[in-house]
Amino acid sequence: MRKPFKLLALFAASTALLTTPAIAQDTPEPMTARDLVTMPRLGSQSVSGDGSRVIYSVTTTDEASLERSTTYRIRSLADGNEVDLTLPEGASSPAFLDDERIYFLAPGGRNSQGMQLFTGIVMQRTDRAWLAQVRQVSRLNRAIEGFKLSPDGGKVAIYGETARSCTEYVCGAGTDTTSGEQPVGSGRLYQGDEGFVRHWDTWRTPDSYNRVFVYDITDQGLADPRAVDGPLKDGALIGDTPTKPFGGPEDFAFAPDGKSIWFVAREAGAQEPMSTDLDIYNYDLEVRNLSEITADNEAVDTAPTPSPDGRWLAYLAMERPGYESDRQQIMLRDLESGETRSLTEDFDRSFGSLAWTPDSRWIIATAQDVLDTPAFRIDPRTGKVTKLDLLPGNEAHIGNVTPIGGQRLLFTRDSIAAPAELYLSDRWKTATRLTEVATDRVAALAPVETQRFSFEGAGGDTVWGQITKPSGAAGDLPAILYVHGGPQGSFNDGWSSRWNPRVLASQGYAVISVDFHGSTGYGQDFTDSINRDWGGKPLEDLQKGLAAALARDSQIDGDRACAMGASYGGYMMNWIAGNWADRFDCLVQHDGLFDMRSFYYTTEELWFPRWDFGGSYAEQSALYERWNPVNYVENWQTPMLVVTGEKDFRVPYTQGIASFTALQERGIPSQLLVFPDENHWVLSPDNSLQWHETVFAWLDRWLDEDAD
């Protein structure tokens, strides 16, 4: 590994924004991969009905075994008193119903299997908190994957993968409930008109979907099951709720009176892999009637969020069918008249979350803006959008915004320098940090600094980037060009447990990221500009961005430089290998696209390449081949580390095998790291540690001052 870099006694004057806590000791150690993997993680939060307390989770990872465990804490928002909350062993997902009662999932007891629904009253003293009157609410013969309570606590919506013919959750998944017969052999038979065969990292079970069921909560347990997608009959809705692969409880919401439920579904069928048509439905729990409210829009409709007074439904919508990175506008529907309008049509940012204030007066939403993700206040009467400076000049990435009474906002904030902590803002003013989940741990590490820069990129447009490097390092620092995925994405000012610039900079490098044409947070035209131009403007921006960073910071040694990226960033490594072949000492390519033809015919979400390349491969073969890395293999000369996961169905692992074969054939120094149990990401702590150690060793091999 690289020799530890030296810290100066006094930091040199710099215009950089220091985004890390002050040094906690005289000679703090640089952040290591094990530090990243074992860094405590803030989890989900739930606020009591009166807004006086919050429960949040903390996940820790054992330094030696790398085993993870989760604990829960409860904090008073009035006086700051905070104690551990003792839950039954294996419990998860605690959610307040009112001021005292919570519901949660835990392993079931007699006459039940897997995670079941429980309830209890939170009892609290100054030194601890526990549950009283604990009761198992559900006794089902299969595990509950998730739940959401109705506002009055009289009903609960539970979800999991279930056969479409089932009328209640306990029917089971993947069985032929009409004949009762099991197929002979282990093969799965798919019909050509049923949509996805596999998705993300999972082979689909025929005739089985994510489904939501609403039950009444009684003293005896759950009763009167209702499937929100209605009975299976001609013309019935057949599809996934929550949506796959990443949907959860945010995909459905009870009406304030508990009489109906709003939900998002992706309809299954032959067109599903080519369609982004998510729709919002309403199921009337009293008359048991299903209605679709966004049928006229064939693009994305998602995040149904009813106002607390029951008058409005806010949701997010895109305009262009087949485009997963279109601008998400906030839509507002009058639930009495049915009139629907866009609140943010004239605001050129794409919103990613939204929530109502308890008095139904405001909508609070988050949207990426240049390199930050701030919160915005939207007036539902006029559509006026106001940016909230909750942490003026240092907002970085704000998420999980929960409005509570008295114009207070509870939210999380993270940055390149530090992982998420919980904050509270009173009356839209500067927020106060509430938690110290990882703050002390980060403060004990050698600091890094991040400076933002802009330059004139392709077509004369302003393009932004960031440089992250160890603070006070002596001597020159080799350059690492980070290329983000998406491609409609960003390496913005946020923490990551995977592609984390801080841990890489801590090894003694200057990490340079560029938000090239196609990146998000700069208006929809900028995001759209990568369409049909994958290897054009983005590569020009990366070339000019690297030059701008080197001109800005003389400490960066441009003669020792490697580039690395995953997904589209991995594609760009393959593209750079053939189209910028003499610039870098090494490349790290993770889950990168190598052959656009084979990629098209083996990936799962076909709407993605069809939009970005203007159609199918058969329709646009010349364009696919124009930007196809395999066509430039004869130019390859740069040593490359290739990483892939066998469970990656987005960019199948054979793409990595193919690029490694090309490297071997040409005698180019190369390595191949294959994870049999990972998908498009590296998620398990031991695999993450191996990934980092392998990458660091590869960079050290080619960037060490003594390297050939």
Side-chain angles (χ1 to χ4, degrees):
M1 299 299 293
R2 294 188 58 78
K3 298 181 178 68
F5 59 85
K6 297 178 181 179
L7 289 172
L8 297 178
L10 295 175
F11 295 159
S14 173
T15 58
L17 170 66
L18 294 180
T19 56
T20 186
I23 295 180
Q25 47 185 294
D26 292 336
T27 56
E29 293 294 323
M31 183 178 180
T32 67
R34 190 172 290 271
D35 288 326
L36 175 65
V37 170
T38 60
M39 191 70 66
R41 301 182 183 184
L42 176 69
S44 58
Q45 307 91 42
S46 178
V47 181
S48 61
D50 60 3
S52 66
R53 295 187 289 180
V54 59
I55 295 173
Y56 67 91
S57 66
V58 177
T59 298
T60 56
T61 304
D62 185 83
E63 292 274 352
S65 69
L66 299 181
E67 292 184 359
R68 286 177 175 157
S69 60
T70 300
T71 58
Y72 296 89
R73 297 186 64 79
I74 185 165
R75 181 184 180 93
S76 168
L77 298 180
D79 59 20
N81 181 54
E82 181 175 292
V83 295
D84 290 328
L85 172 62
T86 301
L87 295 177
E89 185 175 357
S92 67
S93 309
F96 273 110
L97 170 64
D98 47 33
D99 301 346
E100 296 180 331
R101 181 170 295 277
I102 68 168
Y103 282 78
F104 58 94
L105 297 178
R110 180 173 51 87
N111 299 326
S112 61
Q113 296 182 15
M115 299 294 277
Q116 298 295 314
L117 186 66
F118 287 74
T119 187
I121 301 292
V122 177
M123 308 296 289
Q124 187 171 354
R125 293 179 181 169
T126 56
D127 59 342
R128 66 186 183 98
W130 69 99
L131 295 183
Q133 303 177 31
V134 175
R135 177 172 68 92
Q136 183 173 340
V137 177
S138 68
R139 295 189 181 275
L140 306 176
N141 63 8
R142 57 179 300 226
I144 296 173
E145 295 183 22
F147 73 96
K148 182 174 286 187
L149 298 166
S150 64
D152 63 1
K155 302 179 182 67
V156 64
I158 63 176
Y159 65 85
E161 188 165 333
T162 309
R164 183 58 183 90
S165 54
C166 295
T167 57
E168 57 182 294
Y169 187 72
V170 296
C171 177
T175 59
D176 183 345
T177 57
T178 56
S179 67
E181 297 179 357
Q182 295 293 328
V184 176
S186 62
R188 297 180 295 264
L189 179 63
Y190 297 98
Q191 305 299 327
D193 60 354
E194 290 182 348
F196 284 117
V197 171
R198 60 183 189 174
H199 202 177
W200 188 248
D201 60 4
T202 305
W203 287 90
R204 190 176 65 81
T205 302
D207 302 317
S208 186
Y209 305 91
N210 272 356
R211 299 179 64 202
V212 174
F213 296 84
V214 175
Y215 287 79
D216 290 339
I217 298 177
T218 71
D219 292 340
Q220 290 72 43
L222 300 184
D224 194 15
R226 283 144 286 182
V228 304
D229 50 3
L232 183 59
K233 59 183 180 180
D234 289 343
L237 170 63
I238 299 177
D240 287 302
T241 303
T243 56
K244 292 182 179 178
F246 305 121
E250 70 279 359
D251 277 349
F252 57 94
F254 280 99
D257 60 9
K259 294 180 180 180
S260 68
I261 188 169
W262 305 91
F263 66 93
V264 181
R266 181 194 297 280
E267 191 169 358
Q271 295 301 308
E272 186 180 9
M274 293 170 280
S275 171
T276 59
D277 188 14
L278 303 185
D279 279 306
I280 296 175
Y281 297 80
N282 179 263
Y283 185 77
D284 190 312
L285 295 166
E286 294 190 331
V287 302
R288 307 197 179 201
N289 179 63
L290 177 65
S291 58
E292 182 180 2
I293 70 164
T294 59
D296 292 340
N297 183 26
E298 296 181 355
V300 169
D301 298 288
T302 190
T305 310
S307 61
D309 62 8
R311 180 180 177 185
W312 309 98
L313 178 74
Y315 63 95
L316 300 174
M318 298 181 184
E319 287 185 343
R320 289 174 283 183
Y323 187 20
E324 66 179 7
S325 298
D326 200 9
R327 179 167 61 111
Q328 286 200 142
Q329 302 179 44
I330 299 177
M331 308 297 291
L332 188 67
R333 181 182 179 89
D334 186 321
L335 294 179
E336 183 175 341
S337 68
E339 179 183 355
T340 304
R341 60 190 174 93
S342 173
L343 283 178
T344 58
E345 184 174 3
D346 298 327
F347 188 75
D348 194 14
R349 290 294 183 268
S350 184
F351 288 95
S353 69
L354 66 163
W356 288 91
T357 55
D359 59 3
S360 301
R361 177 61 185 85
W362 306 98
I363 296 172
I364 309 298
T366 58
Q368 196 177 334
D369 185 31
V370 187
L371 294 166
D372 292 316
T373 305
F376 297 85
R377 183 182 66 210
I378 297 95
D379 189 338
R381 299 173 300 183
T382 65
K384 181 181 179 181
V385 179
T386 303
K387 181 179 176 181
L388 299 176
D389 288 328
L390 301 178
L391 292 164
N394 201 20
E395 296 200 284
H397 177 249
I398 285 176
N400 303 301
V401 179
T402 303
I404 51 183
Q407 293 185 342
R408 293 178 297 163
L409 295 177
L410 190 71
F411 62 91
T412 60
R413 183 263 185 190
D414 61 273
S415 68
I416 287 176
E421 298 285 4
L422 198 59
Y423 287 76
L424 181 65
S425 168
D426 188 11
R427 301 185 182 278
W428 327 118
K429 298 184 183 300
T430 301
T432 301
R433 179 167 54 83
L434 301 181
T435 60
E436 294 185 359
V437 171
T439 297
D440 290 344
R441 176 86 172 265
V442 170
L445 300 172
V448 300
E449 59 188 51
T450 296
Q451 54 180 310
R452 301 178 179 187
F453 66 99
S454 62
F455 60 94
E456 185 178 292
D461 293 334
T462 298
V463 178
W464 284 86
Q466 297 180 114
I467 302 169
T468 300
K469 65 179 186 178
S471 296
D476 293 339
L477 300 173
I480 305 294
L481 180 64
Y482 246 22
V483 183
H484 68 67
Q488 295 88 356
S490 171
F491 273 135
N492 58 2
D493 192 354
W495 185 263
S496 173
S497 59
R498 294 187 297 276
W499 285 72
N500 186 301
R502 171 166 184 156
V503 72
L504 187 55
S506 295
Q507 309 311 303
Y509 299 115
V511 181
I512 302 162
S513 61
V514 174
D515 271 357
F516 48 82
H517 277 77
S519 299
T520 52
Y522 306 91
Q524 195 59 42
D525 286 347
F526 192 84
T527 301
D528 293 346
S529 64
I530 197 173
N531 183 250
R532 310 190 191 195
D533 192 31
W534 268 33
K537 291 187 291 294
L539 178 59
E540 183 178 347
D541 288 343
L542 292 169
Q543 293 170 330
K544 291 180 175 179
L546 178 58
L550 295 177
R552 179 184 182 90
D553 192 332
S554 61
Q555 189 179 27
I556 306 175
D557 184 356
D559 292 329
R560 290 186 292 153
C562 286
M564 54 192 295
S567 195
Y568 173 83
Y571 161 90
M572 185 52 71
M573 296 305 103
N574 290 329
W575 187 251
I576 284 174
N579 292 274
W580 196 11
D582 58 352
R583 179 60 186 90
F584 295 101
D585 296 285
C586 70
L587 301 171
V588 178
Q589 184 261 100
H590 185 155
D591 291 338
L593 292 73
F594 171 75
D595 181 2
M596 300 305 294
R597 180 180 182 181
S598 63
F599 164 75
Y600 179 84
Y601 286 111
T602 55
T603 193
E604 14 84 288
E605 292 182 351
L606 287 172
W607 64 74
F608 166 60
R610 290 168 73 94
W611 180 271
D612 276 23
F613 289 85
S616 67
Y617 181 85
E619 295 166 335
Q620 293 282 6
S621 58
L623 188 63
Y624 281 88
E625 294 302 334
R626 168 68 182 88
W627 304 119
N628 196 348
V630 73
N631 293 331
Y632 299 88
V633 165
E634 67 273 12
N635 299 331
W636 283 27
Q637 58 182 286
T638 310
M640 183 187 295
L641 166 64
V642 180
V643 185
T644 189
E646 288 188 25
K647 295 177 68 177
D648 185 359
F649 300 155
R650 183 63 43 86
V651 180
Y653 73 89
T654 50
Q655 294 283 306
I657 297 294
S659 61
F660 185 60
T661 298
L663 292 160
Q664 291 176 296
E665 281 188 336
R666 297 187 61 79
I668 300 171
S670 54
Q671 289 184 341
L672 174 67
L673 176 61
V674 180
F675 290 104
D677 52 348
E678 297 288 1
N679 54 34
H680 201 54
W681 302 330
V682 175
L683 300 176
S684 71
D686 53 343
N687 288 342
S688 177
L689 192 59
Q690 183 184 11
W691 185 96
H692 282 89
E693 290 176 345
T694 303
V695 169
F696 292 168
W698 182 255
L699 298 177
D700 183 64
R701 173 179 172 182
W702 300 104
L703 295 181
D704 189 86
E705 291 179 331
D706 298 326
D708 294 333

